[in-house]
Amino acid sequence: MSAMFDTLTEPGGRYGLNPRAWLVLMLLAIAALAPGLFSVPAMDRDESRYAQASRQMMETGDYLNIKLQDEDRHKQPAGTYWLQSLFAQPFGGADAPIGAHRLPGFILALLAVAITAWLGARLFGPGTGLMAGVILATTVVLAVEARTAKTDAILLGVGMIAQASLMMLMVQVKERRPGFIGWPAAMWAALGASLLVKGPIFLMVTALTLIVFTAWKRDPGLLLKVRPLPGVALALAIFAPWFIAINLETDWAFAQTAVGYSMLDKVGEAQEAHAGPIGFHLVATLFTLWPGVALLPLGLAAAWTMRGEDRVKFLIAWIVPTYIVFELVATKLPHYTLPSFPALALLIALGLGRAGDLLASTRLKAAHVIFAGLAVLVAFVLGAFPAGGTLYLQSEPNFAAWLSLAFAGLAAAAIVALALKPSGSRLIATGVAAAALYACVFAVAIPSMDKLWPSERVGRLVDQVTGCETLTLATSGYEEPSNMVYLGTGVFLADEPVQAANVLLSDPRCGLAVVDAGGILEFGQRIQEGGGTLRLLATVEGHNYVKGDDLALGLYTLEGSDLRLERR
């Protein structure tokens, strides 16, 4: 294995890594991030909202305003929806499966891995670049975000262009006023694109990195290297046309909602129960950075011992302010610190390359053992999730659930071997084990937990209903956004059973209602008052994991309707 790693780390010219190293890294990244893209059903709530809004763009041809059914969705800019709509085209456009909507995040996650490896190879050497790429590609947080049709993996890929450009400007470029065409233009263009994806989030990361690095260097002149005047103009040229157009269209309602609710309100108070104390993100990193977290003490030690080098100063200036800001923000989610993970991966790779010298410290060796133990524990937590989930759902764990535990054991063994003798070859072996665990969990075990996916199962049944070309659909008792993904844009998500009954009564011939058992008495009573008689087509047992409620959904039509269920 060590001989193979030596081959992979031979210099690769201007691109840092040689072709064999690129092949190994990208194959490992694909293996870690791709399985499950098309097999995990649409998740509630954010993913389904993004996918549905993108579908409605394709259905209506309106790519300016963002809507979720009849409501304006003014939380994020349009970039993610545009990308999802673009990638959905080869898969059927508005009828594309959820996996097509996940492809932009997957592709941009691969780009983030590639840029991290390239940056590490250019500035620290091929071995460091390869190891950093492996660490980032196999992290839990990227494994989740790359499989989710949301903004964060897309933002990371776009933002890494900006951060890599800034790092090259600060560390490699010697001119005090470099030409704009080159790294400055790449940085500002990427920041303009990031504004279209998630507003000023990555602009904040890049600005904080630049400010802290410049202050640390005590050289304000470094600020001019980014060519701020033409740069801001370029970023605004990319972002402003849509931003102005949408606000003119909505009488500035987008700006009020996106800036007021989606951004500023998250700073002052926790939204949607996503609160956490100071230190939340530091603790969450023990899980989200797995399996690379096993080597985190080495990365921190490398940062300390090499802090006098500009290359390392830049990485520290990238990580520390980002963590501080998100620790101070009231709303907290584990993936918020993802923009700093490429820098963490680079520091860990630096530490791994100097493990022999660093582990001479008794204190560091103790921390190294503790973190390796935590990483082993996390491996078994990940592997036990499918079995624990099925038991929670009062089902019998299947073969895939037990296989996930076996792969967790394999990953734990690889982590132990890596901790005992830190090396690049053992890191790759750990990455392979992590990828195998992800493949089992995401591609097989989670999709097979049928109770978690009531919307998808109901959608399959509705596809088998015949008698009417167009159905009038309503749901009650389970109104999660995934219903729109599987039942169509026109489905009515009723707050009360009576509302679903009224929808059914409004179209006695082609009406279909999906009602949970908890509201069936009220639902049935309203149907009787309206002169109808219920007919049950099918039932679905499920679980609403957002609310923690068990479901018993019935698919109801009226006696005399044209609808029939033809099971296939």
Side-chain angles (χ1 to χ4, degrees):
M1 281 289 286
S2 59
M4 182 193 76
F5 186 77
D6 290 341
T7 301
L8 294 176
T9 55
E10 292 174 356
R14 63 179 298 188
Y15 299 107
L17 300 181
N18 65 52
R20 291 183 297 274
W22 278 119
L23 180 63
V24 168
L25 174 61
M26 299 318 294
L27 286 177
L28 178 55
I30 291 169
L33 304 178
L37 276 174
F38 284 84
S39 57
V40 176
M43 294 178 282
D44 287 308
R45 294 175 171 149
D46 279 352
E47 177 177 66
S48 291
R49 288 168 175 160
Y50 273 99
Q52 176 59 28
S54 300
R55 171 193 284 178
Q56 288 182 222
M57 279 187 169
M58 292 180 277
E59 290 174 342
T60 63
D62 182 0
Y63 291 90
L64 176 63
N65 204 355
I66 307 161
K67 285 186 172 291
L68 191 65
Q69 291 191 321
D70 293 329
E71 294 184 5
D72 291 326
R73 182 167 168 79
H74 294 162
K75 291 190 175 183
Q76 303 290 356
T80 297
Y81 306 97
W82 291 345
L83 285 172
Q84 289 188 10
S85 300
L86 176 64
F87 278 81
Q89 295 307 314
F91 297 89
D95 297 321
I98 187 63
H101 293 267
R102 292 169 177 157
L103 284 175
F106 168 68
I107 298 298
L108 271 295
L110 293 181
L111 178 63
V113 170
I115 294 174
T116 300
W118 174 85
L119 190 61
R122 281 293 301 268
L123 297 180
F124 299 101
T128 299
L130 177 59
M131 290 186 290
V134 170
I135 291 164
L136 180 63
T138 55
T139 55
V140 165
V141 66
L142 196 60
V144 172
E145 294 303 324
R147 292 175 168 89
T148 308
K150 300 197 290 98
T151 59
D152 297 283
I154 296 172
L155 183 68
L156 182 67
V158 174
M160 274 303 296
I161 299 173
Q163 286 297 94
S165 300
L166 179 61
M167 190 169 186
M168 294 299 289
L169 278 169
M170 294 296 109
V171 176
Q172 288 287 91
V173 175
K174 303 305 179 185
E175 297 93 337
R176 300 295 286 184
R177 185 178 172 83
F180 181 69
I181 302 302
W183 294 123
M187 186 192 88
W188 287 106
L191 290 176
S194 76
L195 289 171
L196 277 173
V197 173
K198 202 171 183 177
I201 299 300
F202 222 103
L203 175 61
M204 176 198 73
V205 173
T206 301
L208 286 173
T209 305
L210 176 60
I211 291 168
V212 172
F213 182 78
T214 300
W216 197 347
K217 291 280 293 179
R218 299 180 181 179
D219 186 359
L222 291 173
L223 296 172
L224 299 177
K225 291 181 76 172
V226 302
R227 303 295 304 276
L229 292 181
V232 169
L234 176 59
L236 289 178
I238 293 170
F239 174 67
W242 174 83
F243 184 74
I244 293 171
I246 186 62
N247 280 293
L248 292 176
E249 173 79 12
T250 62
D251 196 22
W252 294 94
F254 177 87
Q256 294 172 24
T257 303
V259 176
Y261 171 82
S262 190
M263 187 172 68
L264 295 182
D265 281 1
K266 288 183 178 180
V267 175
E269 59 184 58
Q271 290 185 353
E272 301 173 1
H274 300 314
I278 299 293
F280 171 90
H281 289 294
L282 289 176
V283 175
T285 301
L286 299 177
F287 182 82
T288 54
L289 190 58
W290 185 89
V293 71
L295 302 174
L296 184 57
L298 290 176
L300 297 178
W304 179 255
T305 58
M306 300 174 66
R307 65 190 183 279
E309 296 187 24
D310 285 353
R311 301 172 299 172
V312 176
K313 282 181 179 177
F314 186 92
L315 297 179
I316 296 170
W318 181 347
I319 296 165
V320 174
T322 301
Y323 264 82
I324 289 174
V325 166
F326 286 118
E327 290 289 11
L328 294 176
V329 169
T331 303
K332 290 181 171 65
L333 285 169
H335 64 265
Y336 280 4
T337 53
L338 178 59
S340 66
F341 274 39
L344 280 170
L346 286 164
L347 284 180
I348 291 171
L350 282 173
L352 180 57
R354 293 158 176 76
D357 294 333
L358 293 174
L359 288 175
S361 166
T362 304
R363 289 183 179 179
L364 181 62
K365 188 176 293 185
H368 179 68
V369 170
I370 291 170
F371 273 72
L374 288 171
V376 167
L377 178 62
V378 171
F380 282 111
V381 169
L382 289 170
F385 174 77
T390 51
L391 290 172
Y392 167 75
L393 296 171
Q394 299 179 342
S395 302
E396 190 70 25
N398 58 19
F399 177 73
W402 299 123
L403 187 61
S404 297
L405 267 175
F407 279 122
L410 181 65
I415 290 168
V416 171
L418 175 63
L420 290 173
K421 187 178 179 181
S423 68
S425 57
R426 294 193 178 196
L427 175 67
I428 291 175
T430 302
V432 170
L437 175 58
Y438 294 149
C440 188
V441 170
F442 288 108
V444 184
I446 290 179
S448 68
M449 297 165 71
D450 282 345
K451 273 193 165 183
L452 286 180
W453 317 113
S455 297
E456 190 263 349
R457 292 165 63 204
V458 168
R460 275 188 274 140
L461 288 172
V462 170
D463 286 342
Q464 299 172 32
V465 172
T466 62
C468 290
E469 185 174 340
T470 303
L471 299 177
T472 300
L473 283 163
T475 69
S476 175
Y478 180 60
E479 301 88 45
E480 299 301 335
S482 56
N483 282 295
M484 292 180 276
V485 174
Y486 291 108
L487 301 180
T489 302
V491 62
F492 181 76
L493 307 180
D495 294 326
E496 302 291 340
V498 169
Q499 295 174 317
N502 289 336
V503 171
L504 191 56
L505 289 168
S506 71
D507 190 355
R509 192 174 72 85
C510 297
L512 181 66
V514 182
V515 182
D516 182 47
I520 194 61
L521 291 178
E522 190 177 349
F523 175 75
Q525 196 171 39
R526 176 67 188 98
I527 293 294
Q528 285 184 339
E529 292 172 357
T533 302
L534 287 175
R535 176 159 58 93
L536 179 65
L537 294 182
T539 59
V540 170
E541 299 287 330
H543 184 77
N544 183 348
Y545 54 83
V546 176
K547 295 183 177 179
D549 297 334
D550 285 328
L551 301 167
L553 302 173
L555 278 67
Y556 293 96
T557 187
L558 297 179
E559 288 290 353
S561 78
D562 295 343
L563 302 183
R564 298 290 183 272
L565 181 64
E566 295 185 1
R567 293 184 181 271
R568 297 189 276 272

